[in-house]
Amino acid sequence: MTKSFPVLLASLLAVSSVSAPLQVLAQEAQPLDRIAAVVDEDVILQSELQRAIANIKAQYAGREAQLPPDDVLSRQVLERLVLVKLQVARAQGSGIRVSDQELTQAMNAIAQQNGSTLDALRQRLASDGIDFNDFRASVRDEITVQRLRQSFAQSRISVSEGEVDAALKQQADAGNQFHLAHILVALPDGASAEQIATGQKKADGVKALLDKGELDFNAAAVRYSDSPNALEGGDLGWRTLDEIPAAFAQTMQQMKAGEVVGPIRGPSGFQLLKLVEVRDASAAAGTHTVTEYHGRHILVRVDDAQSDAAAKAKIDTLRARVVGGADFQQVAKESSEDTNSKGQGGDLGWFPADAFGPAFGQQVAGIQDGGVSQPFRTDAGWHIVQRVGTRQTDVGSDNQRAQVRETIGRRKLEDEYNRFLQELRGEAFVSFRSGDRAENTATPPQS
């Protein structure tokens, strides 16, 4: 339950839960090692693409229906890999380097997160047919990309005191904040009439599927959106009214939570926008306290050694023991598979509701002090949580200013970095050698 080491391998190898997809990755890595794409002076091999696809599928285990067809998923993942290659090249050209010592520290952190040592991780990778050097190179690339993003933020993103003051005043004066999600049907710069008509038809088709209830919005975003956050369900987080595109802002005030508006043509293409929920901004601004929970949990992991069904059966049994009178802490010490909290009887200390993700927060908020939740699933596996207590914590005006500053900076970075990635992609030479965009399907295997 500790926060993951900041290495985002969603587009490459699974790091936050290494054990889960290793055998899948090994199986996918063995067929023909052909070129999937040429990216400037680098290449993406078919084995890299298959490993990345296997990782995404492992993350969506039990929710496979939310994923697009294999050809569409392959296209989405290949585009992510292209962007990783371009960012690594730009970072290296800017003098960004990851030393061997830093990389070893990162690898040790990954091993610790999986309850292992670096030597044991190396052996596990080898036993499942994963080349340790390839894995290590993937981690280096992701750290490099993170540092490029940090450098970009430091050089281009600034938040003035005036912007913070204005945001705080708006929170106090404004009526509502809006939690949004979107689906983007992208259009190229200088799109032709035919391209615009095709984009309009696709957007209308997605909206029709939503209206008929054949897909929920998150699944439709994963399947059809061209936005970088497609695989995250298109989530845009909380926005104030002035942070919403003018084409949507007036309509947004008339919508109810759950409604979808669009498609509307914007600078990037056609967008569908969903209002997920609304909250009172003035009420949020008027308080400096947050609710924190003291809780304990028991985790049963889902991985290649333990199926989802087996893990669910085990957590059901453990909950029955606790409800039947067994001491939660003792059961956690004996049976929890979270190595970070097991020794403390599953104790997580005090934390805000969103500290461990929305599913965990909903469970702990939905029970009384002393209560034990029903089993629930996260990416790590199956959990039960016991709520020990609650308290109101004063975050103070300084913390509130810091939170507002971080929010403004994060949104600026998101917008600016996405534009930077579009420019990077537009300037690059990319030749696809696999899938429906293949320019040369006769590329020989790489030796």
Side-chain angles (χ1 to χ4, degrees):
M1 295 303 299
T2 55
K3 295 180 181 178
S4 298
F5 181 82
V7 178
L8 308 177
L9 292 181
S11 60
L12 296 171
L13 296 173
V15 173
S16 60
S17 182
V18 169
S19 59
L22 284 183
Q23 290 182 346
V24 177
L25 297 178
Q27 293 166 3
E28 296 288 351
Q30 290 172 359
L32 294 177
D33 210 4
R34 299 178 180 272
I35 291 177
V38 177
V39 185
D40 286 336
E41 298 179 358
D42 204 347
V43 298
I44 297 170
L45 298 177
Q46 192 68 30
S47 59
E48 293 180 73
L49 175 59
Q50 293 305 315
R51 285 198 300 267
I53 292 171
N55 175 49
I56 294 293
K57 289 185 175 181
Q59 292 178 13
Y60 276 80
R63 299 175 291 146
E64 291 84 355
Q66 295 184 20
L67 289 172
D70 284 349
D71 60 334
V72 177
L73 179 62
S74 178
R75 189 185 314 130
Q76 289 179 328
V77 174
L78 186 54
E79 278 291 346
R80 283 197 175 192
L81 293 176
V82 167
L83 285 177
V84 169
K85 293 287 186 184
L86 293 174
Q87 289 173 89
V88 168
R90 177 60 63 91
Q92 291 174 343
S94 302
I96 295 173
R97 297 288 186 271
V98 179
S99 70
D100 289 341
Q101 181 180 1
E102 291 170 324
L103 183 57
T104 298
Q105 290 173 349
M107 296 293 290
N108 278 319
I110 292 167
Q112 290 171 9
Q113 288 170 9
N114 288 273
S116 182
T117 65
L118 187 57
D119 286 341
L121 176 62
R122 185 195 302 268
Q123 293 171 9
R124 177 61 185 277
L125 288 166
S127 67
D128 287 319
I130 305 298
D131 186 87
F132 183 79
N133 289 329
D134 287 346
F135 188 88
R136 185 178 168 91
S138 297
V139 176
R140 187 191 295 273
D141 283 351
E142 290 299 323
I143 299 175
T144 302
V145 169
Q146 284 188 345
R147 291 188 176 174
L148 175 67
R149 188 178 175 93
Q150 291 165 357
S151 175
F152 183 94
Q154 291 168 359
S155 63
R156 301 199 195 184
I157 305 300
S158 63
V159 180
S160 68
E161 292 299 320
E163 288 177 297
V164 176
D165 290 338
L168 288 170
K169 184 177 186 303
Q170 185 178 51
Q171 283 185 2
D173 296 342
N176 293 316
Q177 291 177 329
F178 305 88
H179 183 190
L180 307 175
H182 81 143
I183 295 171
L184 171 66
V185 177
L187 294 176
D189 291 338
S192 66
E194 182 179 359
Q195 288 172 321
I196 293 172
T198 300
Q200 176 80 64
K201 183 177 180 181
K202 177 181 175 181
D204 288 339
V206 175
K207 182 64 160 57
L209 290 174
L210 295 173
D211 290 342
K212 293 176 184 176
E214 295 182 15
L215 277 178
D216 66 30
F217 194 92
N218 285 5
V222 171
R223 187 176 290 253
Y224 296 114
S225 180
D226 297 318
S227 173
N229 67 354
L231 290 173
E232 289 73 51
D235 186 70
L236 293 171
W238 288 96
R239 304 290 174 101
T240 55
L241 200 59
D242 68 333
E243 295 172 315
I244 298 172
F248 294 100
Q250 186 172 359
T251 304
M252 195 61 53
Q253 297 181 78
Q254 312 301 321
M255 292 172 62
K256 297 179 181 178
E259 290 185 341
V260 177
V261 63
I264 293 178
R265 173 78 183 275
S268 301
F270 292 97
Q271 288 202 70
L272 299 171
L273 201 65
K274 178 181 179 180
L275 177 59
V276 180
E277 54 183 324
V278 183
R279 68 184 179 190
D280 186 341
S282 60
T287 178
H288 294 161
T289 63
V290 296
T291 301
E292 291 187 329
Y293 301 94
H294 181 196
R296 307 183 184 107
H297 90 126
I298 296 172
L299 166 67
V300 178
R301 294 191 181 277
V302 175
D303 53 33
D304 57 339
Q306 186 164 242
S307 69
D308 185 86
K312 177 62 165 61
K314 183 175 179 180
I315 201 71
D316 285 340
T317 300
L318 295 176
R319 185 180 187 278
R321 287 179 57 193
V322 171
V323 172
D327 181 72
F328 191 101
Q329 291 177 281
Q330 187 59 41
V331 174
K333 287 181 180 180
E334 294 171 355
S335 303
S336 180
E337 295 172 12
D338 176 17
T339 56
N340 295 295
S341 67
K342 178 177 182 177
Q344 293 75 46
D347 196 286
L348 299 171
W350 289 97
F351 54 89
D354 60 354
F356 303 122
F360 203 94
Q362 290 170 8
Q363 292 294 330
V364 76
I367 56 179
Q368 301 295 317
D369 290 354
V372 177
S373 74
Q374 293 292 331
F376 63 97
R377 181 76 154 83
T378 71
D379 290 340
W382 284 93
H383 307 251
I384 54 174
V385 59
Q386 180 184 55
R387 196 168 98 179
V388 180
T390 60
R391 69 183 183 188
Q392 297 296 312
T393 300
D394 185 359
V395 299
S397 59
D398 288 343
N399 282 346
Q400 188 184 25
R401 289 186 69 86
Q403 290 170 1
V404 169
R405 184 187 306 279
E406 182 181 350
T407 298
I408 296 172
R410 185 169 57 248
R411 288 173 183 163
K412 281 187 173 184
L413 176 59
E414 177 186 344
D415 293 339
E416 290 293 328
Y417 200 75
N418 282 340
R419 278 194 283 270
F420 166 71
L421 290 180
Q422 288 174 358
E423 293 171 3
L424 201 63
R425 178 67 174 84
E427 295 169 356
F429 170 79
V430 179
S431 175
F432 294 103
R433 304 298 177 86
S434 68
D436 56 3
R437 294 175 295 175
E439 298 173 16
N440 176 12
T441 57
T443 304
Q446 300 300 294
S447 59

